[in-house]
């Protein structure tokens, strides 16, 4: 019944959307009669109508028809009706599920243009820097024709699409220079020629800004570390269109964005613990749960470690760091495998993205895990980092007034999109019917038998010159498949994170007659394999179609069905011929770990030959159930993480709002009321404490005298602060706030680890975390008021010349702090060591 109602709903929703498409098409004839100048003039009029508050319902048909005409003139690409439907869905703040090859990039120009008319800026989020540059130049032609400025953000740089570099000949009906010069990746050789370097702030001032999720997220964090508001780059978080939305909002949701800096050296400890855990053996010393990806040390393991370290009790408070080193080193040994989770390249540990198979250059595992892996691999161990700012992608994209997304694989995660992001998934019908053949899975008893069957299948299809793409889930299995093909004498190309610099050349030839390509998930998302090769030859493309198009072989199932579907989607694009089939074994990790008792019993059976696939509905059902189990478990993990992160998110919002308020007040010379409020709060709390505490007369008098002096200082503050002094006070408050926030982030991380242990005592971890996190936050606020009261008056003892000199440098400590040691209590009275407070 639910499925039936869903179909009715989808049908009625599509009918409504088709009605809007009719209105767009009705505008086409009128707009086609306009010359290029008139097109741009009409765009300006639409912008004014939006500014005047005219309803979106009235403006949308004309705006969509206008961008379609601009696309036809600049790119010779006219949006299909189904792309118009996709554009409407995106504008409404939903997820458009469009099959691979259906033109999502072009469909996104419709809502991007329409929403940019408001002047509040549109962010188009891509999965890598290359696509950000490519789409800025490619789609930039369309936007520029209508008077919009388009920019892109990439790692450490920003660019503006500058049409002066490009002589468009669209008015003559010819293709642009851009379409004539295509490189081996099917994109543009000349991209760089049309991108003018600009500042990041200028990039955000453009009407439409392309960039990766990391660039947008890190800019947000950096904006909340500045001491001058002029150094901020982002404007409003108005509207974001997220390409490959399932990859960004689901697959990467568990990994927070972190800005960190090196802290104290701990490399020696990791080297010691790498040797210690090497002597531990499972299951006696530790137990690994492959399903949950956790490792727990046993009582015997603890005894061994304590003996090796000559420590009587490793869980004593003074040894808390040792527990941290032990836990991370044990995780590095038991859970993280070389050439699957990471690669060793040029003397560095480089993380491999489990979902895309790509190397994550410059990224490091957090909380000491990266150092533990470096020690395990016998490499130089770098310093641990201290977190300055962090946010999850989930909470970053919640900052936007409206978000939308597009992908070829969203329905399998529709529940999560709805519950976590309140995003509805709408499936868009294809422009041409799909004729791809999805062949049934073949399941073998052993991996050895599976790989032999794969080689046999490749031989048969290679003999008739059919191009074949073999998908693997890791670098190690990628190399295993390659070895089997090599042994069989089958020429092939290998694509994985180790040789990603050849990605373009390999993908360009993957659709040629007889091509055999073995690839990790790198070839599973956003990769366009052209039948006949790239650049395409019509004769070669026809030969490939005649032998069945691209055949995709999956050598194992991924934990998420979406990843399998992305691999399938490399063939049969835009109505092309194509086919796919998965070869599995009962020894595959997914089947072995999540398959259940029935699969285990089947594995022990010897009643069938190894080289014959198992014809069992039970096995196929078990594989599907295994994937559903993993997806369910991962959903629970993400929701669990989000519940915890929501606590941090609320506190982060308060801190970031407060620091922005301080900086704004400082620049406007309006900081005094805020400062007085902070000092009065501290004074009142101090007075209450004196009344509540059971103090001897002498101590009471001493504290009352301190309060009296503070009140006198507050009263003696100047009526007005000079601009420079106002700025310095605001920056001083922000520095104190930042230092406390950095400590607070560490405290919250330690709290998260500790509340999980409390579960053994029948305590609900999330309830415990919320309660204790609130206490820690109250302590932060109390420390902030105390530190302010103890240090801010120094600024009023300085002459104005010294104030001007000190606006940029750190506010100097009092004279008594001159000879303070790094391990001494900090001069500010926080109760922390100097190195952990103002000496940080």
């Amino acid at each position: 019944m639910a499925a039936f109602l869903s179909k009715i709903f989808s049908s009625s929703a599509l009918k409504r959307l088709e009605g809007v498409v009719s209105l767009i098409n009705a505008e086409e004839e009128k707009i086609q009669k306009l010359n290029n100048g008139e097109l741009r003039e009409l765009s300006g009029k639409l912008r004014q109508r939006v500014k005047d508050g005219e309803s979106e319902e009235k403006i949308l048909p004309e705006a969509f028809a206008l961008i379609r005409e601009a696309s036809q003139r600049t790119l010779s690409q006219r949006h299909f009706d189904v792309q118009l439907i996709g554009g409407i869905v995106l504008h409404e703040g939903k997820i458009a599920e469009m099959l691979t090859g259906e033109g999502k990039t072009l469909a996104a120009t419709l809502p991007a243009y329409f929403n940019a008319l408001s002047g509040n800026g549109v962010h188009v989020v891509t999965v890598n820097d290359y696509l950000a540059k490519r789409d800025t130049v490619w789609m930039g032609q369309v936007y520029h024709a209508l008077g919009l400025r388009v920019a892109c953000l990439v790692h450490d740089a920003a660019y503006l699409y500058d049409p002066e570099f490009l002589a468009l000949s669209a008015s003559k009906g010819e293709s642009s220079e851009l379409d004539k010069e295509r490189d081996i990746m099917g994109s543009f050789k000349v991209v760089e020629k049309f991108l003018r370097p600009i500042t990041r702030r200028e990039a955000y001032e453009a009407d439409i800004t392309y960039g990766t999720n990391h660039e947008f997220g890190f800019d947000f964090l950096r904006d909340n570390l500045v001491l001058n508001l002029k150094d901020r780059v982002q404007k409003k978080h108005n509207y974001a269109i997220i390409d490959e939305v399932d990859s960004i909002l689901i697959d990467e949701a568990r990994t927070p964005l972190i800005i960190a800096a090196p802290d104290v050296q701990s490399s020696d400890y990791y080297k010691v613990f790498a040797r210690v855990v090497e002597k531990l053996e499972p299951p006696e010393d530790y137990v690994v749960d492959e399903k949950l990806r956790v490792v727990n040390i046993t009582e015997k393991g603890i005894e061994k470690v304590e003996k090796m370290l000559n420590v009587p009790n490793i869980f004593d408070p003074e040894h808390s760091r040792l527990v941290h080193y032990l836990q991370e080193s044990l995780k590095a040994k038991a859970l993280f495998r070389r050439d699957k989770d990471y690669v060793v390249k040029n003397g560095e540990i480089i993380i491999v993205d489990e979902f895309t198979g790509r190397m994550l250059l410059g990224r490091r595992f957090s909380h000491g895990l990266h150092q533990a892996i470096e020690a395990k691999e016998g490499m130089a161990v770098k310093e641990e980092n201290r977190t300055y700012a962090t946010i999850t992608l989930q909470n970053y994209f919640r900052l936007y007034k409206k978000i939308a997304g597009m992908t070829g694989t969203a329905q399998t995660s529709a529940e999560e999109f709805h519950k976590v992001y309140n995003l509805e998934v709408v499936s868009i019908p294809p422009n041409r019917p799909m004729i791809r053949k999805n062949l049934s899975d073949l399941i073998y008893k052993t991996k050895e038998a599976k790989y032999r069957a794969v080689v046999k299948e490749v031989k048969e299809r290679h003999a008739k010159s059919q191009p074949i793409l073999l998908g693997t889930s890791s670098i190690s299995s990628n190399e295993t498949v390659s070895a089997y093909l090599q042994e069989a004498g089958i020429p092939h190309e290998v694509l994985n994170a180790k040789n990603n610099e050849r990605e373009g050349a390999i993908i360009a030839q993957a659709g040629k007659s007889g091509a055999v390509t073995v690839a990790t998930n790198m070839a599973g998302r956003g990769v366009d394999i052209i039948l006949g090769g790239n650049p395409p030859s019509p004769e070669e493309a026809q030969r490939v179609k005649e032998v069945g198009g691209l055949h995709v072989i999956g050598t194992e199932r991924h934990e998420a069905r979406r990843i399998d579907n992305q691999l399938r989607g490399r063939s049969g694009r835009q109505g092309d011929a194509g086919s796919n089939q998965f070869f599995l074994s009962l020894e595959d990790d997914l089947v072995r770990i999540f398959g259940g008792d029935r699969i285990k019993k089947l594995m022990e059976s010897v009643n069938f030959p190894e080289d014959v696939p198992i014809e069992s509905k039970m096995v196929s059902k078990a594989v599907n159930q295994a994937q559903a189990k993993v997806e369910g478990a991962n959903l629970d993990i993400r929701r669990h993480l989000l519940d915890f992160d929501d606590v941090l998110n609320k506190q982060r919002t308060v801190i970031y709002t407060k620091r922005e308020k301080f900086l704004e007040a400082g620049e406007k010379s309006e900081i005094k009321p805020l400062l007085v409020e902070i000092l009065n709060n501290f004074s009142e709390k101090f007075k209450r404490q004196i009344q509540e505490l059971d103090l001897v007369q002498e101590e009471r008098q001493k504290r009352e005298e301190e309060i009296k002096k503070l009140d006198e200082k507050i009263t003696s503050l100047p009526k007005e602060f000079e601009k420079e002094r106002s700025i310095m006070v605001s920056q001083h408050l922000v520095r104190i706030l930042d230092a406390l926030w950095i400590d607070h982030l560490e405290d919250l991380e330690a709290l998260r680890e500790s509340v999980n242990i409390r579960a053994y005592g029948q305590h609900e971890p999330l309830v415990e975390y919320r309660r204790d996190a609130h206490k820690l936050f109250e302590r932060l606020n109390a420390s902030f008021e105390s530190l302010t009261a103890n240090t801010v008056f120094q600024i009023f003892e300085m002459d104005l010349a010294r104030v001007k000199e000190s606006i940029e440098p750190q506010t100097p400590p009092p004279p008594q702090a001159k000879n303070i040691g790094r391990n001494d209590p900090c001069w500010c009275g926080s109760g922390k060591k100097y190195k952990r407070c103002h000496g940080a």
Side-chain angles (χ1 to χ4, degrees):
M1 176 62 75
F4 176 68
L5 288 173
S6 177
K7 285 182 181 177
I8 291 176
F9 173 77
S10 298
S11 174
S12 63
L14 284 174
K15 279 183 181 176
R16 177 184 67 83
L17 296 172
E18 286 166 358
V20 181
V21 169
S22 298
L23 295 175
I24 297 168
N25 288 336
E27 296 283 341
E28 187 167 30
E29 187 177 348
K30 177 185 76 176
I31 287 177
Q32 283 176 336
K33 293 176 182 176
L34 302 177
N35 62 36
N36 290 350
E38 289 168 332
L39 280 187
R40 183 176 282 222
E41 188 179 332
L42 178 57
S43 180
K45 289 178 180 176
L46 289 179
R47 191 189 282 265
Q48 188 59 46
R49 285 167 61 186
V50 169
K51 191 176 179 181
D52 292 342
E54 192 171 331
S55 73
E56 290 183 347
E57 192 178 346
K58 286 184 179 179
I59 302 174
L60 186 145
E62 198 169 357
F64 274 40
L66 185 60
I67 195 102
R68 178 161 70 174
E69 181 60 24
S71 174
Q72 173 65 37
R73 294 188 190 187
T74 55
L75 303 178
S76 300
Q77 294 182 9
R78 178 184 177 274
H79 296 76
F80 301 126
D81 283 0
V82 290
Q83 287 174 308
L84 296 180
I85 291 173
I88 299 165
V89 167
L90 291 171
H91 167 65
E92 292 177 346
K94 299 173 183 174
I95 292 174
E97 184 183 61
M98 301 173 71
L99 295 177
T100 49
E102 289 293 310
K104 295 191 292 291
T105 305
L106 192 64
T109 58
L110 300 156
Y113 167 73
F114 185 44
N115 284 270
L117 292 175
S118 69
N120 289 323
V122 172
H123 298 167
V124 184
V125 185
T126 63
V127 291
N128 58 51
D129 285 347
Y130 175 77
L131 290 177
K133 282 186 176 182
R134 185 202 73 176
D135 293 351
T136 299
V137 173
W138 189 11
M139 299 299 124
Q141 300 170 88
V142 185
Y143 300 126
H144 173 70
L146 299 178
L148 269 61
R149 296 172 76 249
V150 190
C152 69
L153 301 164
V154 295
H155 187 57
D156 292 336
Y159 299 94
L160 181 74
Y161 168 68
D162 192 338
E164 290 182 8
F165 292 111
L166 180 63
L168 290 174
S169 51
S171 58
K172 301 176 186 176
E174 300 171 5
S175 295
S176 70
E177 180 187 348
L178 212 53
D179 289 321
K180 291 176 183 174
E181 295 193 46
R182 291 192 170 263
D183 72 5
I184 55 175
M185 286 188 76
S187 295
F188 312 112
K189 273 183 182 176
V190 286
V191 163
E192 300 287 350
K193 294 181 184 176
F194 313 105
L195 294 174
R196 177 163 58 82
I198 55 173
T199 66
R200 291 182 91 79
R201 177 181 275 240
E202 287 174 318
Y204 282 106
E205 287 170 352
D207 297 295
I208 298 169
T209 309
Y210 285 84
T212 65
N213 51 343
H214 297 109
E215 294 304 312
F216 288 117
F218 280 125
D219 279 342
F220 168 74
L221 293 178
R222 283 189 286 263
D223 275 357
N224 285 285
L225 289 172
V226 301
L227 286 174
N228 293 292
L229 291 178
K230 64 181 175 59
D231 295 329
R232 299 177 72 167
V233 296
Q234 284 191 347
K235 296 197 297 179
K236 296 178 182 176
H237 293 89
N238 178 44
Y239 176 48
I241 301 172
I242 306 171
D243 192 12
E244 306 294 2
V245 65
D246 53 330
S247 174
I248 290 172
L249 292 190
I250 292 181
D251 296 340
E252 296 193 43
R254 285 184 286 177
T255 307
L257 304 176
I258 297 172
I259 290 180
D263 193 13
V264 294
Q265 284 197 330
S266 51
S267 56
D268 290 342
Y269 282 108
Y270 283 111
K271 289 173 185 174
V272 169
F273 276 89
R275 294 193 293 270
V276 167
V277 299
E278 194 58 40
K279 295 173 184 176
L280 302 181
E281 296 295 335
E284 182 183 326
D285 300 323
Y286 62 88
V287 179
V288 179
D289 188 326
E290 291 187 84
K291 289 183 184 180
L292 298 177
R293 294 271 292 167
V294 295
V295 56
N296 293 306
I297 192 163
T298 65
E299 286 292 333
K300 283 193 175 181
I302 291 169
E303 288 174 13
K304 278 189 181 180
V305 171
E306 288 173 344
K307 192 173 181 181
M308 284 186 271
L309 296 175
N310 195 24
V311 172
N313 183 2
I314 197 170
F315 291 103
D316 279 346
E318 62 264 32
H319 299 316
S320 60
R321 292 302 292 170
L322 299 185
V323 177
H324 167 71
Y325 298 135
L326 171 62
Q327 188 64 23
E328 297 308 314
S329 300
L330 204 51
K331 280 162 65 176
K333 177 190 176 182
L335 298 177
F336 287 79
R337 286 177 282 175
R338 184 170 177 166
D339 288 345
K340 181 178 185 295
D341 303 295
Y342 63 91
V343 294
V344 177
K345 190 171 184 179
N346 299 329
E348 285 190 37
I349 300 293
I350 302 175
I351 302 172
V352 174
D353 189 322
E354 62 175 307
F355 301 104
T356 65
R358 296 179 187 277
M359 288 193 290
L360 299 176
L361 297 169
R363 298 273 293 277
R364 290 175 66 83
F365 293 113
S366 57
H367 310 306
L369 177 60
H370 210 95
Q371 286 79 6
I373 294 173
E374 287 170 334
K376 165 190 161 184
E377 294 290 347
M379 301 170 65
V381 179
K382 294 183 180 176
E383 293 174 324
E384 267 194 277
N385 284 333
R386 194 163 192 224
T387 300
Y388 279 37
T390 178
I391 193 169
T392 60
L393 289 174
Q394 289 167 320
N395 277 317
Y396 172 70
F397 284 110
R398 284 173 163 187
L399 295 170
Y400 284 85
K401 185 178 174 184
K402 178 171 71 175
I403 62 171
M406 48 191 184
T407 180
T409 47
Q411 280 296 353
T412 53
S413 301
E415 180 190 0
E416 183 167 357
F417 280 125
H418 177 68
K419 287 183 177 177
V420 177
Y421 301 100
N422 197 28
L423 283 170
E424 180 188 338
V425 176
V426 179
S427 296
I428 311 298
N431 185 48
R432 296 176 186 165
M434 180 180 283
I435 59 171
R436 183 182 72 212
K437 296 176 183 175
N438 297 324
L439 305 175
S440 301
D441 294 350
L442 296 177
I443 304 164
Y444 293 82
K445 185 179 178 184
T446 65
K447 283 187 178 181
E448 173 75 21
K450 174 184 74 173
Y451 289 135
R452 285 200 302 264
V454 167
V455 170
K456 184 182 176 186
E457 179 74 10
V458 172
K459 261 188 177 179
E460 290 174 3
R461 291 184 180 271
H462 182 64
K464 62 176 188 176
S465 297
Q466 185 174 13
I468 302 160
L469 173 68
L470 295 101
T472 64
S473 64
S474 67
I475 296 171
S476 53
S477 57
N478 179 269
E479 291 172 344
T480 299
V481 172
S482 174
Y484 273 92
L485 293 175
Q486 202 165 348
E487 190 180 333
I490 300 171
H492 63 280
E493 285 279 8
V494 177
L495 175 60
N496 60 43
K498 288 183 176 180
N499 68 337
N500 63 325
E501 60 277 354
R502 292 192 58 240
E503 178 180 0
I506 293 170
I507 291 300
Q509 307 307 318
K512 276 195 166 183
S513 294
V516 178
T517 310
V518 185
T520 57
N521 296 337
M522 285 176 69
R525 188 184 285 277
V527 172
D528 194 2
I529 297 177
I530 309 294
L531 296 189
N534 192 17
S537 150
E539 299 80 16
E540 175 75 2
Q542 186 56 40
R543 279 196 293 273
V544 172
K545 288 176 184 176
E546 287 170 1
V547 295
L550 178 68
H551 181 64
V552 173
I553 294 176
T555 59
E556 54 195 305
R557 287 281 195 93
H558 198 276
E559 288 184 357
R561 287 169 291 173
R562 291 178 294 101
I563 311 299
D564 293 341
N565 291 338
Q566 286 287 350
L567 180 61
R568 287 190 178 101
R570 298 316 100 198
S571 68
R573 297 159 74 89
Q574 279 286 345
D576 282 342
S579 54
N580 68 83
Q581 190 166 35
F582 277 75
F583 286 68
L584 314 176
S585 87
L586 298 179
E587 293 178 344
D588 290 349
D589 285 350
L590 179 75
V591 182
R592 178 178 58 81
I593 299 171
F594 296 94
D597 292 334
R598 287 186 295 176
I599 292 292
K600 287 176 184 174
K601 287 176 183 175
L602 193 60
M603 284 179 71
E604 293 162 5
S605 169
V606 290
N607 297 329
F608 51 88
E610 283 196 355
D611 58 349
V612 175
I614 303 166
E615 299 291 340
S616 169
K617 288 184 179 178
M618 183 269 283
V619 178
S620 297
K621 186 179 178 184
V623 171
N624 292 330
Q625 286 175 341
Q627 283 185 310
K629 273 185 194 175
V630 181
E631 287 172 358
N634 287 338
L635 170 58
D636 288 342
I637 290 169
R638 286 190 292 268
R639 288 174 67 179
H640 181 68
L641 287 172
L642 189 60
D643 286 339
F644 277 85
D645 194 57
D646 279 345
V647 177
L648 170 59
N649 194 51
K650 286 172 185 171
Q651 295 182 356
R652 175 175 45 236
T653 301
V654 171
I655 294 296
Y656 284 1
T657 301
K658 190 177 282 190
R659 81 186 306 282
E660 182 178 7
K661 190 178 177 182
F662 289 155
L663 292 176
E664 281 183 351
E667 291 184 3
K668 293 177 181 177
S669 297
E670 296 172 357
I671 195 67
K672 183 180 177 180
L674 298 178
L675 175 62
V676 170
E677 183 183 353
I678 294 165
L679 296 173
N680 283 335
N681 282 343
F682 176 71
S683 177
E684 290 303 315
K685 286 178 184 175
F686 206 170
K687 288 171 186 173
R688 284 198 301 271
Q689 283 179 0
I690 294 171
Q691 296 303 318
E692 292 166 3
L693 291 173
D694 185 18
L695 300 172
V696 297
Q697 184 65 25
E698 186 180 345
E699 183 65 23
R700 183 178 295 278
Q701 284 179 345
K702 182 182 176 184
R703 296 200 178 193
E704 286 175 348
E705 188 63 32
E706 288 174 2
I707 283 293
K708 186 181 176 183
K709 285 180 181 177
L710 175 61
D711 288 343
E712 288 173 356
K713 284 182 178 181
I714 296 171
T715 307
S716 65
L717 283 171
K719 287 184 179 180
E720 291 183 3
F721 299 170
E722 305 95 339
K723 177 75 177 285
E724 291 84 357
R725 208 176 299 269
S726 178
I727 290 173
M728 189 172 179
V729 169
S730 68
Q731 289 185 354
H732 182 71
L733 296 180
V734 165
R735 284 194 181 101
I736 293 173
L737 198 61
D738 288 348
L740 292 170
W741 179 244
I742 292 165
D743 282 341
H744 185 68
L745 291 175
E746 284 187 353
D747 291 341
L748 288 183
E749 186 57 41
L751 176 62
R752 281 184 71 160
E753 290 179 6
S754 69
V755 295
N756 288 328
I757 297 171
R758 295 183 208 177
Y760 294 110
Q762 306 303 309
H763 294 285
E764 171 55 44
L766 182 58
V767 174
E768 296 275 306
Y769 181 76
R770 282 175 177 154
R771 186 193 66 224
D772 288 4
H774 178 66
K775 288 179 182 175
L776 288 171
F777 195 63
E778 285 185 329
R779 189 180 77 181
L780 181 155
N781 286 315
S783 297
F784 173 70
E785 291 174 353
S786 173
L787 283 167
T788 300
N790 281 303
T791 62
V792 75
F793 291 102
Q794 300 162 30
I795 296 170
F796 299 97
E797 295 167 7
M798 299 165 62
D799 60 51
L800 196 58
R802 283 175 62 211
V803 168
K804 288 178 181 178
E805 290 174 7
S806 300
I807 285 178
E808 290 303 324
Q810 178 102 12
T811 302
Q816 65 266 30
K818 188 176 179 182
N819 299 316
I820 195 167
R822 284 186 55 75
N823 290 308
D824 293 337
C826 187
W827 52 264
C828 69
S830 66
K832 296 181 179 178
K833 291 181 179 179
Y834 175 66
K835 68 181 181 183
R836 288 288 182 187
C837 196
H838 275 70

